[in-house]
Amino acid sequence: RTVSHGAQSYQPHPNEAPVGEYLPKLTAIKQTSGEAQFVDDIPAPAFCLHAAFVKSTQPNANIVSIDPKPALAMEGVKAFYSAADMDPELNYWFEKGDDKRRIFATDSVSYWGQQVGIIVADSQAHADNAANYVIVRYSDIKPGVYDLDTAIANKSFYKVPWVPTVRGDASKAINSAPHK
């Protein structure tokens, strides 16, 4: 079999530049030649610890208890952390206006797969496996909302406060643009 090759021909219109012009991706050569180094290509340092999230198995419920004892007894497992181990003011990965999204669920979960804790272990395989053995007990389990019709019927809406991002004068830029 012969070595394959390819070519691309670009003939952009001069009045539309830079739209349509050839623009190589900065990392393309390294990625396609195999020279690029990714995080998974780098050997873990000695004594490196790995983590895996413990995720909710119910879509809409109250958390009664979280018992990590079975997971903590497993090979290689070093620790388990949940919202109970954090300062409540630091348990947010996103905050904009009134919209605060927790790192770990506290009293309830809103969706299946929501993070309720994290397992730390000596290998990723040990962490991933142990995360399945943390026992989370739920109460007041409600059915999940999986489609728009159910959301409307249940009046289940995700309220996101609208906080506009404004940069420059859009009207002025549009009115002064050479192409309209």
Side-chain angles (χ1 to χ4, degrees), residues 48-180:
C48 179
L49 295 176
H50 304 261
F53 284 114
V54 176
K55 299 176 182 179
S56 65
T57 56
Q58 296 296 327
N60 189 1
N62 293 329
I63 297 173
V64 174
S65 65
I66 302 173
D67 181 6
K69 285 193 235 44
L72 289 169
M74 298 177 76
E75 178 185 356
V77 175
K78 305 296 183 187
F80 169 78
Y81 300 102
S82 69
D85 300 302
M86 296 180 72
D87 177 339
E89 293 300 313
L90 300 177
N91 188 23
Y92 294 100
W93 62 269
F94 176 86
E95 184 174 354
K96 188 172 186 179
D98 291 334
D99 185 16
K100 290 184 174 184
R101 300 182 194 171
R102 290 188 171 95
I103 297 169
F104 300 122
T106 53
D107 301 324
S108 63
V109 292
S110 301
Y111 56 91
W112 184 91
Q114 187 172 354
Q115 290 122 231
V116 297
I118 195 165
I119 285 284
V120 179
D122 62 0
S123 73
Q124 192 63 55
H126 286 153
D128 291 341
N129 187 40
N132 295 315
Y133 287 87
V134 174
I135 300 167
V136 182
R137 289 185 177 82
Y138 303 95
S139 70
D140 196 24
I141 300 170
K142 298 177 189 81
V145 176
Y146 300 107
D147 59 57
L148 187 57
D149 293 333
T150 307
I152 292 169
N154 291 345
K155 296 185 178 164
S156 175
F157 306 106
Y158 182 68
K159 295 178 182 118
V160 179
W162 185 73
V163 181
T165 302
V166 179
R167 288 199 179 112
D169 186 338
S171 296
K172 182 179 175 185
I174 292 168
N175 290 333
S176 64
H179 301 288
K180 296 180 180 149

Side-chain angles (χ1 to χ4, degrees), residues 7-29:
Q8 292 181 326
S9 175
Y10 294 91
Q11 297 177 353
H13 191 280
N15 294 337
E16 295 177 354
V19 175
E21 289 183 358
Y22 170 70
L23 183 63
K25 182 178 173 187
L26 296 175
T27 57
I29 299 298

